[in-house]
Amino acid sequence: MSIRNLDRLFHPRAVALVGASARAGSLGRAVLDNLRAGGFKGPIRLVNPRYGDIDGLPCAARIGDLPEPPDLAIIAAPRERVVELAEEAAAFGVPAAIVITADNGHGADSLRAQLRAVAARTGLRIVGPNCLGVLSPRAGLDASFAAHRPPVGDLAIISQSGAITVSLLAFAAERRVGFSGLVSVGDMADVDFDDLLDWFAIDAGTRAILLYVEAIEDAKSFMSAARAAARVKPVIVIKAGRSRLAAKAAATHTGALAGADDVYSAAFRRAGVLRVNDIAELFAAAETLGRIAPFQGDRLAIVTNGGGLGVLAVDELTALGGRLADFSPATMEALNAALPASWSHANPADIVGDADPARFAAALAPILDDPHVDAVMVIHCPTALSRGDAVAQAAADAVQAHRRRAFRHKPVFASWLGADERSNAIFEDAGVPHYANGAMRGFMHLVNWRQSRDALMATPAGIPSFEPDVAAAQAIVAGALARGRHWLDAVEIGRLLAAYGVPAASALLAATPDEAAELAAPLLAQHGACVVKIFSRDITHKSDVSGVILDLATVDAVREAAHTVLARAMKARPDAHIDGVTVHPMVSRPNGRELIAGVAEDPTFGPVVLFGRGGTAVEVINDKALALPPLDMALAHAQIERTRVARLLRSYRDKPQADIDAVALTLVRIAQMSADIPEIRGLDLNPLIADEHGVVALDARVEIAPCPAPAHAGANPRFAVAPYPRWQETRLTLRDGARMFARPVRPEDEEMYRRFFTRVTPEDLRRRFFAPVKDFSHGFIARLTQIDYARAFAMCAIDESDGEMTGGVRVMHDPDQTTGEYAVLLRSDFKGRGLGWALMRLAIDYAREAGLKTIKGHVLSENRTMLDMCGQLGFQIADDAHDTGLKIVTLDVATARV
């Protein structure tokens, strides 16, 4: 995960084409023609020992024979020479390379594996192999063999398929959509999705990012980069391999295995990335994002000359989760005055089939100015009275007039049936996205991205206090593994769930029917009835062998039931090792809903939490939702709401609402269990019964496997999203003896931060943020509390005497993971008591452990207290060349004085 030298990829001062050719139809010739036609201003050097020059351009025999190292080498040479040429480029000092050459090798012999080794050993940044190339329109760079060259714009494309890139370029050429950059990543020997997401996320010239993904290799890096990018700009993804057969084809195409498609959807949702389903929807996204910036609100007004089209548009809007705007009284009055009496008098504004351009303009003007409207869609069907180009011009003029008079411009979407080139050109000149179809999806892409970003930054409800007995749970799993087992037995599962506060029906293990009867006696006295289940680690689903008998009211009935299930299991599965039966109290929940909750292992994204409709037909019903752990209550509730069974959890007819919070808390707890005990490879609670009194697991299975010890307790190395770093919690003692509890910042700390800021003087706030701060909005505080623990260290100190925050420190990694920028702020009444020193020591200790080489910061020149502390800690202090009021402080972590 690094953006090192990517500036040389997108903005090179000089390029070299290695494998340049004069032969028409060759790859080397196609790339050369594109380089020369693209408008690149720097030198273009050629390398090929077979030529002295090509079209008058000198051609060197070797890369090392060039006058100086170029910033970028484009390698389009035969496969057998590619690795040697990459080594030569790195030795000559070339910082970046694009390897276009295709590869049909596998494993260690593949170009991908060999070039990955070159990149790791030399530091050469490599795009490819097996890629279309890279286009950077602002730099005039067309280092590809694409047939189309896009104009400059603010849309970035990162694609694992050259064919998809070519298709998007053709679409863009037709629609005059511009790009900030296009990268065909190919086999991703070095430069990966996460590197490019980081690059385009901080690129001021990029407003939105489109991804075509076949398979993710490094899930942790991808999730971290995607979450960071999606917070600042829209990221749209199309993922190939939705079906099992397509996934197999995608894996063959990329040389990597694709993960389960539902898990990819869960990962994209967690990252805040919007997924589209097909190439047409991706084109619609490109059309929308290439012309319109994200906007606030979701209230849509529709103007059309076709009533049926308006009704269909409302149907689609509703199906996609959008909503219609309600026109204000002033807008209604203006429309009534401007339109014939037969207009619809509502939204959608059907202005009647004989509407001419002037009527469209008259309807659009007040609707665009209506404060109750956030966006407008104009739908036109051609008639003899209403030519498409004339109405397009009227609509474009109305939009331009609105932009001149309005402080905040409203987006307009044009859905033009039977559009011609003239209509399209009018909308393109006006910057209005236009569609033959797909306009509603285009509108909803932006609405959904903003809602997704808001959800990412929402403050979750605090998790009800629970302290799992992690040590006891780990001992249960370790003991089973020590005995060579891969499944926990029913008794162990009961103890494991109890350690995490998950209610479960108790289980007693009986080796014989007589023992089962003996164990059942006290249960019958207490509960009135029992359940007998077959117990065999070889039988995955007890119902497959009719291995469960319910509602047993006597000891004799229990004994007979045990005989029966043992006989059934032996007959159905003679190969299975049968340990006996388990005896459970009969749990009667007349209002209970059968659910399933569990943790599954995905080969790409690691542990995944599952929730859905439970029972024996769980696979047939297939009502489930997945989420990546860790979870908070908001994420757990959102996961529940994505299932059909969520509706059954609410009250209906004579059934009271189930305790949905208890269901959500169960998901949070099993997610935490997965974080704490990475040896758990699978967990099923099925059925998990939920009613108005809470939840109880009636049956459970837990699969375990050895796992290398994580670096820290609670840090499951297979998690794609970094969990809360509990191991960073510590206690501090100040010089005056005051005791502080220091812990990582959590998203639910928003109100604590707001109280903290009220006890920091305006002057101290100005020194921290370099400007007066008066508004502690949700957005402002969310940037401080919504932490990606994979990329940042953020600690708050809490006074143990009253639970209030007294200070905080943070270190934010750069994308290269080599430098961190620090910031520290203390409550004003805690200055001078040693808290700042203690927090800075924590930050420096963290930087060492994380492998950061440098910590830096900006300090106001007048802030002598902070500068003195930095000096004593070993920071180098220098003037900021761009601001005389600032000092830049830099610490070599290895030589810090702590």
Side-chain angles (χ1 to χ4, degrees):
M1 187 163 59
S2 172
I3 61 171
R4 177 178 47 81
N5 288 340
L6 292 192
D7 56 330
R8 309 296 183 88
L9 176 68
F10 293 105
H11 302 285
R13 293 164 297 187
V15 300
L17 175 57
V18 184
S21 176
R23 180 169 56 86
S26 68
L27 184 60
R29 181 73 207 194
V31 176
L32 175 58
D33 289 344
N34 277 356
L35 277 172
R36 298 177 72 181
F40 182 66
K41 304 300 183 186
I44 299 175
R45 314 289 190 190
L46 307 183
V47 179
N48 192 325
R50 296 174 55 194
Y51 298 98
D53 73 272
I54 299 176
D55 297 346
L57 289 176
C59 199
R62 299 172 57 256
I63 296 173
D65 294 337
L66 295 173
E68 67 276 330
D71 283 344
L72 175 64
I74 305 145
I75 300 177
R79 181 192 185 280
E80 60 272 13
R81 295 215 54 215
V82 166
V83 176
E84 172 194 348
L85 291 168
E87 295 268 19
E88 185 181 338
F92 191 51
V94 177
I98 302 167
V99 179
I100 294 177
T101 306
D103 180 30
N104 57 4
H106 299 282
D109 294 329
S110 67
L111 273 184
R112 178 178 185 267
Q114 295 178 72
L115 289 172
R116 174 166 289 187
V118 171
R121 186 172 60 254
T122 66
L124 177 68
R125 303 311 311 272
I126 299 174
V127 173
N130 192 24
C131 70
L132 178 75
V134 173
L135 294 92
S136 181
R138 281 191 178 80
L141 177 71
D142 185 349
S144 77
F145 59 98
H148 298 280
R149 190 168 301 107
V152 174
D154 51 16
L155 196 61
I157 292 178
I158 308 168
S159 174
Q160 214 166 352
S161 164
I164 297 297
T165 310
V166 168
S167 301
L168 282 165
L169 283 169
F171 167 83
E174 179 184 330
R175 295 297 191 100
R176 289 192 281 171
V177 172
F179 294 92
S180 58
L182 300 93
V183 184
S184 166
V185 293
D187 291 340
M188 297 188 292
D190 173 42
V191 176
D192 203 340
F193 285 114
D194 48 282
D195 303 319
L196 295 166
L197 282 166
D198 279 334
W199 172 265
F200 287 120
I202 62 175
D203 175 34
T206 297
R207 184 153 50 82
I209 304 168
L210 299 182
L211 301 177
Y212 171 82
V213 173
E214 289 177 353
I216 299 296
E217 182 180 89
D218 186 344
K220 290 182 183 178
S221 295
F222 174 82
M223 289 298 294
S224 187
R227 292 172 74 198
R231 284 174 176 265
V232 295
K233 54 191 68 173
V235 180
I236 310 289
V237 62
I238 181 171
K239 164 67 173 69
R242 296 180 69 87
S243 68
R244 292 187 182 274
L245 288 177
K248 182 178 179 181
T252 302
H253 181 54
T254 63
L257 291 174
D261 189 68
D262 288 340
V263 180
Y264 270 95
S265 291
F268 295 146
R269 184 181 300 109
R270 181 64 179 270
V273 171
L274 299 183
R275 182 173 186 174
V276 297
N277 295 321
D278 52 45
I279 195 69
E281 196 174 353
L282 188 66
F283 287 164
E287 173 67 19
T288 305
L289 299 171
R291 304 190 197 279
I292 291 181
F295 56 90
Q296 292 295 318
D298 61 354
R299 299 168 299 179
L300 181 68
I302 299 171
V303 178
T304 180
N305 65 336
L309 293 174
V311 173
L312 290 174
V314 172
D315 284 344
E316 185 177 12
L317 177 68
T318 303
L320 293 173
R323 61 173 178 152
L324 279 176
D326 293 322
F327 293 146
S328 69
T331 297
M332 289 296 297
E333 184 178 345
L335 292 174
N336 285 333
L339 301 178
S342 55
W343 84 281
S344 61
H345 296 277
N347 184 18
D350 175 8
I351 59 175
V352 194
D354 63 352
D356 59 8
R359 191 183 298 170
F360 270 92
L364 280 170
I367 291 174
L368 281 168
D369 290 341
D370 190 331
H372 299 135
V373 172
D374 299 312
V376 178
M377 183 171 294
V378 187
I379 305 174
H380 175 261
C381 60
T383 69
L385 301 174
S386 180
R387 280 195 352 261
D389 59 342
V391 175
Q393 189 62 62
D397 290 344
V399 171
Q400 299 286 17
H402 165 71
R403 290 172 180 168
R404 286 192 295 270
R405 66 177 178 266
F407 173 74
R408 181 168 150 247
H409 303 163
K410 289 179 184 171
V412 176
F413 302 79
S415 180
W416 240 240
L417 280 70
D420 54 26
E421 291 185 7
R422 172 65 183 150
S423 299
N424 293 342
I426 290 169
F427 287 127
E428 284 152 15
D429 288 341
V432 173
H434 57 99
Y435 315 77
N437 54 60
M440 197 62 72
R441 288 189 178 274
F443 164 72
M444 288 303 298
H445 286 146
L446 286 174
V447 170
N448 288 337
W449 173 75
R450 184 185 53 75
Q451 291 174 344
S452 177
R453 186 192 61 175
D454 291 347
L456 278 177
M457 298 182 68
T459 302
I463 297 173
S465 178
F466 87 99
E467 289 293 333
D469 190 345
V470 179
Q474 290 173 332
I476 293 166
V477 173
L481 287 172
R483 291 186 288 274
R485 289 168 35 209
H486 297 286
W487 295 90
L488 297 186
D489 65 36
V491 176
E492 291 166 335
I493 291 172
R495 290 163 49 210
L496 176 71
L497 295 178
Y500 277 80
V502 177
S506 61
L508 300 174
L509 177 58
T512 66
D514 286 337
E515 186 179 352
E518 182 180 348
L519 292 173
L523 295 180
L524 290 169
Q526 182 177 357
H527 299 282
C530 285
V531 177
V532 169
K533 302 180 183 180
I534 193 67
F535 177 50
S536 169
R537 297 179 182 90
D538 296 328
I539 298 174
T540 303
H541 300 297
K542 300 175 184 67
S543 58
D544 290 348
V545 297
S546 301
V548 179
I549 298 180
L550 306 174
D551 210 14
L552 303 167
T554 67
V555 168
D556 289 340
V558 170
R559 183 181 293 105
E560 181 62 29
H563 276 295
T564 300
V565 297
L566 286 169
R568 288 172 179 172
M570 291 174 186
K571 180 178 180 181
R573 289 289 307 276
D575 59 316
H577 175 79
I578 298 173
D579 298 281
V581 297
T582 54
V583 183
H584 311 257
M586 180 71 191
V587 177
S588 177
R589 295 287 185 95
N591 293 323
R593 286 76 152 179
E594 285 195 338
L595 310 173
I596 183 172
V599 177
E601 187 81 14
D602 180 75
T604 300
F605 291 96
V608 182
V609 178
L610 177 143
F611 171 78
R613 180 78 173 265
T616 57
V618 61
E619 291 90 355
V620 176
I621 296 171
N622 195 29
D623 177 22
K624 66 180 185 299
L626 303 178
L628 298 192
L631 298 180
D632 56 35
M633 291 295 283
L635 291 170
H637 275 288
Q639 181 179 5
I640 292 167
E641 287 302 316
R642 290 195 297 274
T643 62
R644 298 189 302 276
V645 76
R647 295 192 290 272
L648 290 179
L649 295 177
R650 293 187 274 274
S651 60
Y652 64 95
R653 294 188 178 176
D654 62 340
K655 285 191 177 291
Q657 176 169 303
D659 187 346
I660 302 175
D661 281 342
V663 178
L665 185 57
T666 300
L667 298 178
V668 171
R669 285 173 167 168
I670 63 174
Q672 185 61 49
M673 185 190 299
S674 180
D676 294 335
I677 312 173
E679 293 84 0
I680 293 177
R681 297 304 178 93
L683 183 152
D684 279 343
L685 307 179
N686 182 28
L688 177 71
I689 302 297
D691 66 6
E692 68 274 22
H693 302 297
V695 299
V696 60
L698 299 190
D699 202 1
R701 287 177 64 82
V702 178
E703 182 183 9
I704 56 176
C707 177
H712 300 283
N716 188 326
R718 300 189 310 282
F719 267 33
V721 178
Y724 173 81
R726 187 185 302 273
W727 59 91
Q728 292 175 359
E729 295 178 349
T730 188
R731 281 179 164 75
L732 308 173
T733 301
L734 305 190
R735 287 196 290 264
D736 59 5
R739 296 272 295 170
M740 301 292 127
F741 175 52
R743 63 160 174 81
V745 171
R746 296 192 291 243
E748 55 266 32
D749 287 337
E750 180 169 338
E751 284 307 314
M752 182 181 74
Y753 259 80
R754 187 169 280 111
R755 295 193 303 272
F756 167 71
F757 284 135
T758 65
R759 301 180 72 174
V760 181
T761 66
E763 179 62 15
D764 285 343
L765 286 171
R766 183 186 69 82
R767 288 182 173 182
R768 162 63 177 87
F769 296 106
F770 302 159
V773 181
K774 297 179 180 179
D775 179 20
F776 303 113
S777 66
H778 165 68
F780 177 85
I781 298 179
R783 285 191 289 272
L784 302 174
T785 59
Q786 305 274 343
I787 301 298
D788 179 357
Y789 300 117
R791 292 184 170 219
F793 170 81
M795 296 285 282
C796 55
I798 299 171
D799 190 340
E800 291 189 348
S801 68
D802 61 9
E804 291 297 327
M805 180 175 171
T806 58
V809 66
R810 62 190 55 231
V811 178
M812 310 298 290
H813 300 200
D814 68 357
D816 287 337
Q817 304 288 304
T818 59
T819 299
E821 183 163 356
Y822 90 91
V824 63
L825 180 64
L826 307 182
R827 217 169 72 188
S828 299
D829 58 329
F830 269 77
K831 292 168 64 177
R833 299 170 63 178
L835 179 58
W837 276 86
L839 291 175
M840 285 300 295
R841 288 191 182 98
L842 292 179
I844 294 168
D845 288 344
Y846 164 79
R848 283 201 188 99
E849 183 178 355
L852 299 181
K853 294 182 174 62
T854 306
I855 297 176
K856 67 177 183 179
H858 291 80
V859 181
L860 287 173
S861 300
E862 67 196 67
N863 192 351
R864 296 308 314 170
T865 302
M866 177 60 70
L867 291 172
D868 289 345
M869 182 172 68
C870 287
Q872 294 177 57
L873 286 169
F875 282 80
Q876 299 297 311
I877 302 173
D879 294 330
D880 187 329
H882 304 289
D883 190 335
T884 58
L886 289 178
K887 299 288 186 183
I888 298 176
V889 296
T890 306
L891 178 69
D892 180 344
V893 174
T895 62
R897 299 171 191 160
V898 294

